[in-house]
Amino acid sequence: MSYLMKNRSRIAAAGLALGVLGAAGGANAQEIKMWNLADAGGGEAEFLLDAAAEFSETHPGVTFVFETFPNEAYKTQIQIALAGSSPPDVFFNWSGEDAMRLARDGLALDLTEYANAEGGFAHEMSDGWLSSFAIDGRYYGMPTHAVSKYFYYSTAFFEEHGLSEPTTIAELGGLCTSIREIDSSIVPWPLGNNDRWKLNHLITMLNHRVLGDAGTAADYNLSAPADELFTNPGYVTAWQAVLDLQSAGCFEGAPNATAHESANAMFSAEASPMIYCGSWCAAQFHGEGFTEFGLFRLPAFEGGAGDPGAGFLVPTGYQVSAKTEHPELVAQWISSLVSDENAAKFASTMEAIPSNATLIDTVDGTEHYKWIAEDMASATGSVNVLDVLLENNVSNAYLDAGVEILNGTKTPEEVMADIRAVAIAAQDAM
Amino acid sequence: MNSPFGTQKQAGGRRTMSSGASNAILLLPALSLCMIFIFVPAMLAISGSLYSYGLTSPTRDFVGLGNYIKLVQDSIFWVSLKNNLIIVFGSIVLQIGIGCVLAAILDRGITFGSTFFRTIIFMPVIVSAVAVAVVWLIILDPNIGMLNKIVQSVGLTPPSLGWLGDPKISIWIVLGVAAWQQTGFMMVLILAGLQGVPQERYEAAALDGARGLRAFWYITLPSIRNILIVAVLITTIGGFKVFDFVFVLTKGGPANATQVLGTYTYLQAFTLGNLGYANAIAVVLLLIAVLIGWLQLKVSRQA
Amino acid sequence: MMSKFRITKIALYGIMILWSTFVLMPLVWMVLASFKTRREMFTAPYDLPSALTLDSFERAWGVGLGWFIANSALITVSSVGLIILVSGTAAYVLARAKSVWLRMAYIAIVVGFAVPVAAVIVPLYQMVSAAGFVNSYVGLIIVTSAYGIPFTVILFFAFFLDFPKELEEAARLDGCSKQQIFFRIIIPLSGPAVASAAIFQAVFVWNEFLLALLLLNSPGRKTIPVGILQLQGEFTSDWPAIMAGLSLATVPLLLVFIVLQKYFVRSLAGLGK
C-alpha cells in the first residue's frame, strides 16, 4: 500500500506544479477534474501523472485535478456529484447499467463526434471494445481496459498436499473439504463479503455457469414478462451451490463481517491457500511480495447450461460529464490515454488488459500477467457482473440476498422471491 | 455612550428605530437561515414525496400517495423505524441510567479522584462519531478483534457470524457503541443537576432514616426531575437523528438489519437514486420530529 | 472485619474504575496500535508495539490529513462564530418578546431542533446544488450553521430569561436602541452563556458528518469525519495507518478538552435550566 501513498503525494506535488504551469500558460487556462478509483492498484496514479505532463506539452494551459475515491463509496459519490453543481469533467466507470443510465439521463456526454475525429479514441480500438459504453452506436464512454476474476492458489500448499485444480464446482467444494481435513483452522477460501460485492461476483458467475447467457439475459435487462422474471429455478440452484460451498467449509466463519482486504491479506500472508480475486489482485499480491501462486478459472457447473469457456469480464473506462465546460479538450485527453504507447504503458504498470492492444506484445509482464492476458484472449464469452449490470434496485436486492444466504437467514427460494418482487417493481417503474 | 452603530442616540431617550424594525434586524438572520435550510427543505420533502423521480433523471412523475402506499408495505421501512425506537429506548436506559448512577457516585459517593473519573468518562463525547465507529469496527472485527479475544478468554464463544455480521445482535452492538460515547455526556449533565440539590434536603431525609439508595430514590431523583426530562428529550431527538454510527459501523447491514430511518433515506436517495421514495421516508422522520418538538415545548413551558 | 461503609466505598470506586477502563481502553489501544507494524497488527494486536515507528503516521498524513484538519478548523470557527452571533441576537429578541408572532417564531425554532438533517437531505442537496454551492466552504458553513441555530437559541433563550432586567431598563431610558443594549449591556455580561454555546457548537460542527459527506465531494475539501472515512476506505487492511490517522485527528482535541474540561462541564450545567 505504501507505493500508492508515494504516488498520491507525487500527484499532489505535480498537480501543483502543473497548476503553476497552467497559470503561466496564459488566459486560456483550462482545468480538467478527473475522478478515479482509489484502490485501483498498480501504478495508476503514476501513469496518469506522466500522461498529464505529456498532454500539457501539446495543450498548454491545461491543468489537472486528480481525485480518487474508495471502491465502496465510488458508485454513490459519482451519482451525487453528477447530479450536483460541481461534477468532475471526466470520471472512471464500469461498463454496465449504471453507465448507460447516466447516458440516458443526459449526465454522460455523447462522445461520438470527438471519438471519430482525428486522434479520437474510436481509431484506437475494436468495435467490440467501443460497444461496451455505446447505446445505438453512440459512444457515451471510452473503455480503457477490462478486468476479470480468477481463483488464485498457493502453488506450494497445493503441491505439498497433492491438491489439484478443480474442474467442476462440486470438485471445488471437495477441495475445500480436503483443505479442512489437513487443518480445520485453515480457511480454504476467504470471502470478505462485508461490502457485499465479493459474493455478488461469485453468484454472477454461478448464475452464468448454471443458466447460460440465454437463460439470464431477459431477466437481467428486465425485458422478460412480469410473471416470468427471475422464475427460472436455475437461480435457486446457483444460490444452493453457494450454500454447498459454504457447508463444504470453504469460507471464513463470519464472511459478512470480514473486509475483502482482510481476505486478500489472509491469502497473501499464506494463511489461506486460495482466493477468488480480480485480475487486478495479481499486481497487488506481487506488491506485497507474494508471487508463488497459480491461477484457474471458475470451473464448470455439472449439467449447467453456461459455457465454461466464458470468463468474468468487466470493461472499465471513462465517461465525460455533460456539464463539462470543455468537452473537446477532455475528449482529447482521454483519447491520449489509449494511444498505442500509453495503452502499452498502462498495461505494463497496471498488469491490465488494455482496450488498445496494438503494442501489447512489447509489454514485458510477469508470468501471471501473461497467463491472465492469454486466458482473457482465449475466453469464448464474457460475463458482466451483476452489481453493475442490473438496474440499481435489483442490483441492491441481489447484494442483500448474498448476505442473507451466507448468514443463513433466508433460503435460496426466499431470496429469489425478494429479488423477483424488486425486479417487478423496477420493471413497472420503467 | 458611544454607539457601535454610529450616532443614533438622540436627546430625550427617543429611539431612532421602531422596536419592530429593531427586532427584525436582530431576529431575521437566525430565523431566515432556519427557514431557508430547515423549513423550506422540509416542505419540499413533503411535496417531493408525492412524485417519483431519480437522482439523475431529468423528469418527475406525480404519483400521489403512491410512495406512502409502497412505504407501509416495505418491511425495511418498518425495520428502520423499529431500530430507531430500539436506539431511543435503549439509549434512555443505558445512557441516562448508567449516567445517573455514575453522576450520583461522583456527587456523593466518592471524593478522591472525582475530577479524574469525570474527565475520562466525558472524553469520548469530544471524539467524532465516525472516529468512534472506526475504532470499534476494528475492536469488533471477527478475525483479530479485541472483543472476540476478551470473550474467548473468559471461556465464552463469540457469535460465529461476527458482532456486526449477525442480524440478531448487530443493532444492539450499535446501541452499545453509542452508549460508550454518550454516557459521559449524560453523566455530566445529571451531575450538574445533582450539585444543585441543597444539602439540607439530604440531612432532613437522613433524620427520617433515608440514606444511600433510599435517599437517591426519594430525594435525588425528584430533585433533578427537570434535568432528567431534558436528558430524555435530548436522547430521544438524538435517537431519531442517528446516522453516523450506523453508516460507518454497518451501512445498515447485514441485509438491512441495522437500517435506521436516516440511513434508509440516504440509501434510497443517493445509492439507489429513488428520490421521491426517499422523501416519503423522510416525511415520517419529520412527523416524528414535529411531535418531539411539540413535547419539548410542553415540557419547557412547564419547567 | 470491614465496615459496611468501606465496602460501599470500594464498590463505588469499583464501578467508576470499571466504566473508566471501558471508556479508556479503545482510546489507549487506538494510540498504541498506531505504532504497530501491519504484521504485528495481525500477529500480536494487543501487545505493546515492538518499536516506536512513525511509518503509519506518515502513511496516514499522506492521504491529506493536514488538509482535513485545516478544513475542519476553518469550517468550525466560521460556523460557530455565525451561529453564536445570529442565535444570540435572535434569542434576545425572543426572550423579551410579548407578541404572538415572535412567540410562534420561537416555537418554530424549537421544533427545528428536532428535525434530523437526514429528513431534509434530498431537497437540501438539490437546493445547495442549484445555487452552485456544492464543494464550497461557504455553502457548508451556512447550512451547518442553520442546523446549529435552534439548539443555541434555546440555550441563550433560557439564559436571557434569567437576565436582570434593571440594567436593560436603565440603558433603554438612556436612549439605547435594542441593538445597542444587546451588544453593549447583554453580551459583555453573557460570557458564560457564550462560552457554553461556543463549546457545544464547536463539538457539533467539528464532528458533523452527513452534510459534509454530501456537500463537499472533493478530497481536498473534506473535513475530518469524512476524511477519516476516506482513510478507512483506502487502508482497510492497513489498520496501523487508520489508527494513526484517528489518533492525529482526535488526540489534540482530547488534550484541549483535558485542559479546558472545567469549562466543558460548566457549559453543560446551563442545559438543565
Side-chain angles (χ1 to χ4, degrees):
Chain A
M1 200 64 84
S2 62
Y3 58 89
L4 260 181
M5 291 312 316
K6 279 183 202 125
N7 293 336
R8 193 160 295 111
S9 44
R10 257 199 72 189
I11 267 215
L16 235 77
L18 289 171
V20 174
L21 273 177
N28 60 342
Q30 291 163 311
E31 186 187 89
I32 297 179
K33 184 154 90 173
M34 186 173 201
W35 278 21
N36 276 290
L37 271 189
D39 36 10
E44 187 177 45
E46 201 151 345
F47 165 76
L48 285 172
L49 210 57
D50 291 346
E54 203 175 289
F55 186 75
S56 38
E57 273 170 28
T58 50
H59 296 77
V62 179
T63 60
F64 288 91
V65 176
F66 293 108
E67 293 174 344
T68 59
F69 289 85
N71 197 338
E72 170 63 10
Y74 192 87
K75 271 171 90 175
T76 303
Q77 282 294 334
I78 195 68
Q79 291 199 84
I80 295 173
L82 288 173
S85 61
S86 173
D89 297 290
V90 50
F91 54 95
F92 163 89
N93 211 345
W94 297 270
S95 153
E97 163 61 22
D98 267 2
M100 294 303 105
R101 183 168 42 79
L102 295 178
R104 287 196 306 269
D105 289 349
L107 292 171
L109 195 66
D110 179 351
L111 298 170
T112 318
E113 312 305 324
Y114 306 112
N116 289 325
E118 199 187 329
F121 63 80
H123 308 295
E124 309 284 8
M125 58 190 75
S126 69
D127 287 349
W129 275 99
L130 284 169
S131 69
S132 57
F133 281 97
I135 302 178
D136 300 332
R138 313 290 298 175
Y139 310 137
Y140 290 92
M142 179 197 82
T144 53
H145 66 292
V147 293
S148 185
K149 209 149 190 178
Y150 294 98
F151 276 93
Y152 291 67
Y153 67 94
S154 158
T155 39
F157 187 93
F158 270 51
E159 251 168 53
E160 186 189 337
H161 299 285
L163 304 170
S164 55
E165 298 177 10
T167 55
T168 64
I169 297 290
E171 280 180 36
L172 181 62
L175 194 55
C176 293
T177 311
S178 315
I179 295 170
R180 288 283 187 188
E181 277 164 9
I182 295 164
D183 179 349
S184 65
S185 72
I186 294 178
V187 176
W189 165 10
L191 207 54
N193 194 49
N194 84 331
D195 283 338
R196 303 185 299 172
W197 54 262
K198 276 292 241 194
L199 185 66
N200 199 253
H201 290 188
L202 180 64
I203 195 69
T204 298
M205 290 307 294
L206 289 172
N207 277 355
H208 172 266
R209 292 289 191 263
V210 174
L211 289 154
D213 286 332
T216 54
D219 292 325
Y220 286 177
N221 66 21
L222 300 178
S223 65
D227 57 342
E228 288 173 22
L229 265 180
F230 290 100
T231 49
N232 193 320
Y235 292 110
V236 171
T237 311
W239 284 121
Q240 189 55 49
V242 172
L243 285 176
D244 292 345
L245 290 169
Q246 189 177 30
S247 55
C250 288
F251 313 135
E252 69 274 30
N256 289 323
T258 304
H260 68 274
E261 288 89 347
S262 300
N264 288 5
M266 286 166 82
F267 177 71
S268 62
E270 294 181 75
S272 290
M274 190 162 72
I275 194 164
Y276 189 50
C277 211
S279 47
W280 61 89
C281 296
Q284 194 185 325
F285 296 145
H286 291 153
E288 284 169 14
F290 181 52
T291 53
E292 299 304 305
F293 54 83
L295 296 123
F296 61 87
R297 260 188 217 171
L298 187 104
F301 187 86
E302 282 160 321
D307 166 15
F312 178 108
L313 190 85
V314 185
T316 64
Y318 291 109
Q319 289 189 288
V320 175
S321 164
K323 291 176 187 163
T324 181
E325 282 168 21
H326 17 262
E328 191 174 2
L329 183 74
V330 175
Q332 286 169 355
W333 156 240
I334 55 172
S335 293
S336 80
L337 293 176
V338 293
S339 70
D340 294 352
E341 295 76 23
N342 270 341
K345 209 160 132 192
F346 181 80
S348 74
T349 45
M350 296 281 289
E351 302 197 31
I353 309 305
S355 54
N356 176 2
T358 314
L359 297 179
I360 190 77
D361 295 334
T362 67
V363 174
D364 182 29
T366 61
E367 51 162 327
H368 299 118
Y369 173 64
K370 284 180 185 145
W371 189 94
I372 289 172
E374 261 167 46
D375 185 83
M376 281 172 79
S378 70
T380 48
S382 66
V383 185
N384 199 343
V385 62
L386 292 184
D387 68 345
V388 296
L389 184 67
L390 297 181
E391 189 273 339
N392 254 350
N393 292 283
V394 185
S395 157
N396 188 57
Y398 238 105
L399 286 161
D400 279 344
V403 176
E404 305 264 23
I405 289 287
L406 285 176
N407 267 356
T409 39
K410 281 188 179 161
T411 65
E413 287 81 5
E414 284 167 346
V415 299
M416 283 322 296
D418 290 350
I419 290 167
R420 224 178 93 68
V422 174
I424 290 171
Q427 191 182 48
D428 260 1
M430 264 162 60
Chain B
M1 271 192 206
N2 282 319
S3 161
F5 300 114
T7 52
Q8 289 181 348
K9 202 179 89 175
Q10 288 182 5
R14 274 184 55 224
R15 276 166 291 158
T16 50
M17 224 184 266
S18 75
S19 165
S22 213
N23 282 347
I25 287 175
L26 293 173
L27 178 62
L28 276 182
L31 196 60
S32 46
L33 279 176
C34 287
M35 283 296 159
I36 295 169
F37 294 109
I38 302 178
F39 295 103
V40 169
M43 294 300 142
L44 290 174
I46 295 170
S47 69
S49 70
L50 304 176
Y51 292 84
S52 167
Y53 59 117
L55 181 60
T56 54
S57 71
T59 55
R60 57 189 214 170
D61 307 317
F62 185 77
V63 292
L65 294 177
N67 285 325
Y68 292 97
I69 293 167
K70 202 171 135 195
L71 192 65
V72 293
Q73 296 165 345
D74 180 355
S75 62
I76 302 172
F77 163 73
W78 293 108
V79 168
S80 308
L81 185 61
K82 190 186 88 191
N83 283 337
N84 271 117
L85 291 171
I86 288 179
I87 289 182
V88 166
F89 289 107
S91 298
I92 288 175
V93 172
L94 286 179
Q95 295 173 19
I96 301 182
I98 297 174
C100 225
V101 171
L102 297 175
I105 295 176
L106 283 182
D107 182 42
R108 299 178 52 79
I110 63 173
T111 43
F112 179 74
S114 65
T115 308
F116 172 79
F117 287 124
R118 190 186 64 191
T119 307
I120 286 182
I121 295 174
F122 191 78
M123 261 182 352
V125 179
I126 310 296
V127 182
S128 86
V130 176
V132 167
V134 171
V135 174
W136 276 94
L137 211 49
I138 300 176
I139 293 173
L140 297 167
D141 184 275
N143 306 301
I144 69 153
M146 192 193 298
L147 192 60
N148 269 14
K149 297 262 153 65
I150 293 174
V151 166
Q152 278 159 352
S153 72
V154 296
L156 297 170
T157 332
S160 59
L161 295 175
W163 299 100
L164 294 169
D166 188 332
K168 289 196 197 70
I169 55 174
S170 46
I171 189 67
W172 302 100
I173 299 294
V174 173
L175 181 68
V177 174
W180 177 83
Q181 184 184 35
Q182 295 295 337
T183 300
F185 183 91
M186 287 303 155
M187 177 193 77
V188 171
L189 180 69
I190 293 164
L191 182 62
L194 290 178
Q195 285 165 345
V197 180
Q199 188 61 26
E200 298 82 59
R201 256 187 240 174
Y202 290 107
E203 284 160 9
L207 288 180
D208 295 339
R211 280 201 183 81
L213 279 181
R214 279 174 62 88
F216 180 75
W217 192 254
Y218 289 108
I219 310 296
T220 314
L221 283 184
S223 311
I224 55 165
R225 186 176 155 273
N226 281 346
I227 229 161
L228 287 180
I229 291 172
V230 170
V232 169
L233 271 174
I234 291 179
T235 311
T236 308
I237 290 172
F240 283 105
K241 280 185 177 174
V242 65
F243 179 88
D244 311 6
F245 279 125
V246 176
F247 190 81
V248 181
L249 281 174
T250 64
K251 293 205 177 62
N256 300 303
T258 57
Q259 212 70 260
V260 289
L261 291 175
T263 54
Y264 194 43
T265 307
Y266 183 91
L267 172 81
Q268 285 290 348
F270 299 111
T271 304
L272 301 183
N274 306 320
L275 293 198
Y277 190 57
N279 275 325
I281 306 166
V283 168
V284 175
L285 257 181
L286 277 173
L287 286 177
I288 295 169
V290 170
L291 186 73
I292 301 171
W294 173 77
L295 273 176
Q296 193 185 347
L297 271 174
K298 293 283 271 188
V299 171
S300 69
R301 273 184 192 165
Q302 253 179 28
Chain C
M1 202 182 96
M2 259 195 278
S3 71
K4 193 182 161 201
F5 176 75
R6 279 191 61 192
I7 293 174
T8 315
K9 270 272 150 82
I10 290 171
L12 294 183
Y13 271 105
I15 294 173
M16 292 316 287
I17 290 169
L18 205 67
W19 191 268
S20 302
T21 313
F22 171 56
V23 163
L24 215 49
M25 231 160 44
L27 294 174
V28 170
W29 182 68
M30 169 181 87
V31 177
L32 282 182
S34 336
F35 292 99
K36 286 177 192 283
T37 62
R38 292 175 65 186
R39 181 164 284 278
E40 274 182 309
M41 201 67 179
F42 276 96
T43 52
Y46 307 110
D47 298 348
L48 287 175
S50 58
L52 287 182
T53 88
L54 294 175
D55 289 1
S56 44
F57 286 93
E58 235 171 80
R59 292 200 297 278
W61 191 259
V63 175
L65 208 63
W67 280 113
F68 303 154
I69 293 174
N71 291 336
S72 276
L74 173 75
I75 285 161
T76 304
V77 169
S78 318
S79 303
V80 170
L82 185 62
I83 292 170
I84 299 284
L85 180 71
V86 303
S87 308
T89 56
Y92 175 60
V93 171
L94 295 170
R96 297 291 174 267
K98 292 175 191 78
S99 85
V100 181
W101 290 108
L102 291 178
R103 191 73 210 149
M104 279 173 62
Y106 179 67
I107 292 174
I109 289 176
V110 171
V111 171
F113 173 54
V115 174
V117 177
V120 294
I121 198 67
V122 171
L124 195 60
Y125 182 73
Q126 289 174 321
M127 282 168 60
V128 174
S129 180
F133 274 125
V134 167
N135 238 349
S136 113
Y137 292 125
V138 177
L140 183 64
I141 288 168
I142 292 181
V143 178
T144 309
S145 299
Y147 282 85
I149 288 171
F151 185 78
T152 316
V153 167
I154 295 170
L155 204 72
F156 276 134
F157 183 85
F159 181 81
F160 292 148
L161 276 186
D162 296 341
F163 200 86
K165 305 223 172 27
E166 296 76 22
L167 273 175
E168 288 171 62
E169 197 53 32
R172 208 165 57 78
L173 290 175
D174 222 17
C176 286
S177 71
K178 224 169 194 148
Q179 292 97 307
Q180 288 169 313
I181 296 176
F182 179 76
F183 284 104
R184 291 160 66 179
I185 313 284
I186 307 285
I187 283 294
L189 293 171
S190 304
V194 170
S196 157
I199 284 174
F200 266 110
Q201 292 309 317
V203 173
F204 287 151
V205 176
W206 185 270
N207 294 331
E208 197 287 325
F209 175 63
L210 179 52
L211 288 171
L213 177 71
L214 275 175
L215 298 185
L216 301 176
N217 60 34
S218 177
R221 292 267 160 115
K222 284 179 177 175
T223 59
I224 287 180
V226 187
I228 286 173
L229 206 62
Q230 181 184 335
L231 194 75
Q232 191 236 350
E234 289 188 21
F235 292 135
T236 328
S237 68
D238 187 357
W239 282 329
I242 298 173
M243 294 290 112
L246 289 172
S247 301
L248 285 174
T250 55
V251 170
L253 211 63
L254 288 177
L255 293 179
V256 171
F257 163 68
I258 290 170
V259 173
L260 297 178
Q261 56 96 10
K262 198 166 64 183
Y263 301 96
F264 275 78
V265 168
R266 241 183 247 161
S267 77
L268 269 173
L271 263 189
K273 283 187 181 147

